[in-house]
Amino acid sequence: MEDTAPVSSQEQIASPRRAPSQQRSRERVERMLAAASALIAEQGSDAMRMGEVAQRAGVSIGSLYQFFPDKRAIVWALAERYTAESQACISAALADVGDAEGLGQAFSELVDIYYGLFLAEPVMRDIWSGTQADKALRQLELADSRANAEFLTAVLKRLRPAADPTALETTAFLVWQMGEAAVRLAISVDRQEGDRLVEAYKRMALRELLAE
């Protein structure tokens, strides 16, 4: 049976915002999200106000509410964006992996990219914090983790065709979840300790992933 592409988390869970249908509306929404992202980077999502977003985006408050009924909808939209970008990156990195060495290199690079994004992008850290307090956003994050793990599962099935597929799926999902937790722990401590934690996680994960 051929591997099927993971269903995106956006397809599994309905977004609370209205999707723009016209080019002009899409451009306006892009300005809104760019403004929100900048404000979150400056002061965090808790301090962000809808009026500030509208003002910085150069739109009326009514236009903002037309697409985003509240701050949660904005955070959700930004989370969806990062989710789509991360899935595209992971899919591309793992698509051509055909041996253990290739998996080790691709997986290590992906962890480094994920860690680097969290270090460089305060918006991502804020979005993650927001997901922990919102049940629907936690579901979105969980769906994203499952979809990402399916890319890893597909590689494991190619490398270990005789292995129990359910066991491979479980391993991939757990490794991915542990990776997300490890990176979030790493950014909560000083940089040197964080780097050591990420390297330790990669060694542990690769031992499991490459086990015969």
Side-chain angles (χ1 to χ4, degrees), residues 143-163:
D144 178 41
S145 292
R146 288 192 183 279
N148 291 336
E150 286 180 22
F151 293 119
L152 185 55
T153 299
V155 176
L156 294 179
K157 287 180 178 178
R158 292 199 298 270
L159 300 185
R160 298 156 62 183

Side-chain angles (χ1 to χ4, degrees), residues 40-68:
I40 290 172
E42 292 169 9
Q43 60 192 33
S45 60
D46 288 342
M48 181 181 69
R49 298 291 178 263
M50 297 292 279
E52 292 177 313
V53 177
Q55 182 178 19
R56 182 167 295 199
V59 301
S60 68
I61 190 67
S63 180
L64 178 64
Y65 278 116
Q66 181 181 7
F67 294 100
F68 301 102

Side-chain angles (χ1 to χ4, degrees), residues 9-198:
S9 49
Q10 292 97 317
E11 292 173 353
Q12 295 174 334
I13 302 173
S15 171
R17 70 183 180 95
R18 172 190 167 190
S21 58
Q22 298 180 347
Q23 179 63 26
R24 183 178 299 178
S25 296
R26 288 193 291 271
E27 292 172 354
R28 195 158 61 242
V29 166
E30 285 299 314
R31 293 203 308 272
M32 295 173 190
L33 290 176
S37 182
L39 286 166
I40 290 172
E42 292 169 9
Q43 60 192 33
S45 60
D46 288 342
M48 181 181 69
R49 298 291 178 263
M50 297 292 279
E52 292 177 313
V53 177
Q55 182 178 19
R56 182 167 295 199
V59 301
S60 68
I61 190 67
S63 180
L64 178 64
Y65 278 116
Q66 181 181 7
F67 294 100
F68 301 102
D70 51 29
K71 287 198 300 183
R72 173 178 172 271
I74 293 176
V75 172
W76 185 295
L78 291 171
E80 286 182 325
R81 173 162 298 182
Y82 283 116
T83 291
E85 291 174 354
S86 67
Q87 287 189 7
C89 177
I90 293 161
S91 175
L94 298 178
D96 297 325
V97 171
D99 55 35
E101 182 180 357
L103 174 58
Q105 180 177 345
F107 181 81
S108 181
E109 289 175 355
L110 283 171
V111 174
D112 288 341
I113 290 170
Y114 189 66
Y115 180 40
L117 284 174
F118 265 83
L119 288 172
E121 295 286 350
V123 175
M124 288 190 67
R125 296 197 294 270
D126 196 277
I127 289 173
W128 171 71
S129 297
T131 64
Q132 308 313 297
D134 187 305
K135 182 177 180 181
L137 281 170
R138 288 201 307 272
Q139 291 176 339
L140 177 69
E141 182 186 38
L142 181 59
D144 178 41
S145 292
R146 288 192 183 279
N148 291 336
E150 286 180 22
F151 293 119
L152 185 55
T153 299
V155 176
L156 294 179
K157 287 180 178 178
R158 292 199 298 270
L159 300 185
R160 298 156 62 183
D164 177 7
T166 301
L168 295 181
E169 291 166 4
T170 300
T171 295
F173 184 42
L174 184 57
V175 164
W176 209 273
Q177 280 284 304
M178 290 174 64
E180 293 175 352
V183 167
R184 287 160 183 171
L185 173 61
I187 64 171
S188 69
V189 298
D190 69 73
R191 179 63 187 272
Q192 287 188 335
E193 184 178 11
D195 290 351
R196 291 196 300 270
L197 288 168
V198 170

